[in-house]
Amino acid sequence: MKQIEGVMYQTNAPKGIDPDGIYFVQVDTTKCEGCGACEEVCATGAIQSINDDYIHQVVDTAACMNCGQCLVSCPYGAIYEGVSYVDEIFEKLKDPDTVVVSMPAPAVRYGLGECFGGAPGAYVGQQMHAALRKLGFDYIWDNEFAADVTIMEEGTELINRVKNAGKKDTLPLPQFTSCCPGWMKFVESYHPDLLPHISTCKSPIGMLGALAKTYGAHETHTPAKKMYTVSIMPCIAKKYEGLRPEMADSGYRDIDATINTRELAYMIKKAGIDFNTLPGEDPDPVLGESTGAATIFGTSGGVMEAALRLPTRHSPASI
Ligand code: SF4
Ligand code: SF4
C-alpha cells in the first residue's frame, strides 16, 4: 500500500482475476465515524455497519456496483479507491519497448481543468492532449473516436428495434445504453430480466481498447503485444469494466490500465507539467479524430442528442 495525497492505494493493479472479487472502494476504518451516510446512498446494500460502533465497510464486493457514491458522500473522507495503476503507467512510459496509448473519455476534458483551478465543467480537451504528449504517451488516441462509433452502432440498433418492433426474434423496446459499467453490473446482478433491453454494443472504451490493438496497431505498424492501452475515465466503475474477462477481443487485454480524472491530474502535477500554460494540441490520427457529437457525450443529455444527430439515411427523424 502507498500514500498519495492522503489516499491509500494498492500499488500493483490486479490482473487476470475476477473483478467481482476486488474492492474498488474501501473504508479506512480508522477514519470512519459511523455516521451511516454511505449506507444511505448505496443502492445495493454492499456497504454496511460491521460492529457496535457503526463502523462501515464494503461487505460484499459482488454486490458493489463500484459506482463511487459512498466515496463522494462520506463527510469524513474515510472511503478511498482500492485500485490504482498510476505507478505502473509511469513505469510503462519510461520503457522504450512499450508503446503507451492514451484513451481519455469525453467527460474527462470537462473535469480536468477544475483540478488546476479552472471553472467546474470548463472544456480543456486541447490542453489535455498536450499534457498527455508531455507525459510521454506514444499515441494520443481518444475515446471520442469510439463515442462516434458507439453512437453509429447503438443508433442503428435502435432504429432496427423500432422498425421491427413486434416481429419475431426482434429485441424489445425500450433500448438502454450499455456504456456505464456500474449500470451494467446492476442489471446483470439484480435485473437480468432487463438484459434483452440493453444495447448489444460495447461501451466506447470497450470498443477503443480492441480497435487500438487491431486497427490502430495495423495502421501504425505497431506489434499489438507491445501496446499498452490506458483508459482515462470519469469514474471508478470503469476500472471494473477494464478488468472484465471478456475485454480481450484483440487477442490481448484490450484495456491494460484505467485511471480517473483525478489520477491524471495527479500524474500531470507529479511530472511537473504546468497545465494552465500548455498550448492546445490535437490528438493523433487514426483513432484520435471525432465529431462534435462525441464531445457532447461528456455532458448531461449529450448521448441522446448525439444519437438524434446520427447522420444516416435511416436517421431517427425519418422513422
Ligand atoms: S459515510 Fe464515511 S464516516 Fe460515515 S459510516 Fe460511511 S465510511 Fe463511515
Ligand atoms: S461503490 Fe456504490 S454500490 Fe459500492 S458500496 Fe459504494 S455506494 Fe454501494
Side-chain angles (χ1 to χ4, degrees), residues 101 139 141 210-227 252 286-287:
V101 171
Y139 290 112
W141 289 342
L211 283 170
K213 293 197 180 184
T214 52
Y215 178 71
H218 178 265
E219 292 296 305
T220 58
H221 309 291
T222 304
K225 66 180 178 196
K226 284 193 167 191
M227 210 174 252
Y252 303 88
V286 182
L287 293 171

Side-chain angles (χ1 to χ4, degrees), residues 184-202:
M184 283 307 305
K185 191 177 177 190
F186 184 77
V187 171
E188 288 169 327
S189 303
Y190 295 98
H191 292 285
D193 52 306
L194 290 179
L195 283 172
H197 292 270
I198 303 286
S199 169
T200 57
C201 303
K202 286 183 178 181

Side-chain angles (χ1 to χ4, degrees), residues 12-252:
N12 293 313
K15 289 205 174 135
I17 58 172
D18 178 8
D20 283 330
I22 296 173
Y23 287 95
F24 288 92
V25 296
Q26 261 295 16
V27 179
D28 180 347
T29 52
T30 64
K31 291 185 182 172
C32 177
E33 296 288 335
C35 69
C38 53
E39 189 175 339
E40 273 180 39
V41 296
C42 180
T44 69
I47 192 164
Q48 293 177 14
S49 170
I50 55 169
N51 61 21
D52 292 343
D53 293 329
Y54 300 106
I55 300 299
H56 278 62
Q57 192 57 274
V58 176
V59 295
D60 186 350
T61 53
C64 174
M65 305 297 108
N66 312 302
C67 67
Q69 287 306 299
C70 54
L71 188 153
V72 297
S73 302
C74 176
Y76 298 97
I79 305 182
Y80 60 92
E81 292 175 59
V83 174
S84 176
Y85 295 84
V86 167
D87 289 350
E88 181 178 292
I89 295 168
F90 272 128
E91 287 303 312
K92 296 291 183 188
L93 288 169
K94 284 190 283 188
D95 180 0
D97 285 332
T98 302
V99 177
V100 188
V101 171
S102 77
M103 308 189 295
V108 172
R109 68 213 69 205
Y110 292 98
L112 188 60
E114 194 178 348
C115 302
F116 296 93
Y123 174 77
V124 294
Q126 296 255 301
Q127 291 98 315
M128 177 190 71
H129 292 135
L132 290 165
R133 205 165 270 129
K134 269 200 172 305
L135 277 168
F137 281 81
D138 295 285
Y139 290 112
I140 313 303
W141 289 342
D142 198 311
N143 209 30
E144 289 198 349
F145 177 93
D148 273 333
V149 177
T150 301
I151 221 59
M152 286 187 277
E153 294 292 332
E154 277 199 3
T156 303
E157 181 183 0
L158 175 61
I159 291 164
N160 285 332
R161 288 194 195 218
V162 170
K163 279 185 167 177
N164 297 313
K167 291 184 188 163
K168 191 169 177 273
D169 296 332
T170 298
L171 289 168
L173 292 166
Q175 175 182 306
F176 297 127
T177 179
S178 62
C179 291
C180 168
W183 156 242
M184 283 307 305
K185 191 177 177 190
F186 184 77
V187 171
E188 288 169 327
S189 303
Y190 295 98
H191 292 285
D193 52 306
L194 290 179
L195 283 172
H197 292 270
I198 303 286
S199 169
T200 57
C201 303
K202 286 183 178 181
S203 70
I205 195 63
M207 294 188 190
L208 188 58
L211 283 170
K213 293 197 180 184
T214 52
Y215 178 71
H218 178 265
E219 292 296 305
T220 58
H221 309 291
T222 304
K225 66 180 178 196
K226 284 193 167 191
M227 210 174 252
Y228 180 82
T229 46
V230 181
S231 159
I232 307 169
M233 293 285 132
C235 68
I236 296 168
K238 285 289 179 183
K239 296 186 180 185
Y240 171 89
E241 181 183 15
L243 287 164
R244 287 184 70 128
E246 62 267 47
M247 294 295 175
D249 282 334
S250 62
Y252 303 88

Side-chain angles (χ1 to χ4, degrees), residues 112 115-116 260-270:
L112 188 60
C115 302
F116 296 93
N260 57 35
T261 308
R262 189 171 48 78
E263 287 171 308
L264 175 60
Y266 167 77
M267 290 182 68
I268 294 168
K269 289 176 185 175
K270 184 163 172 121

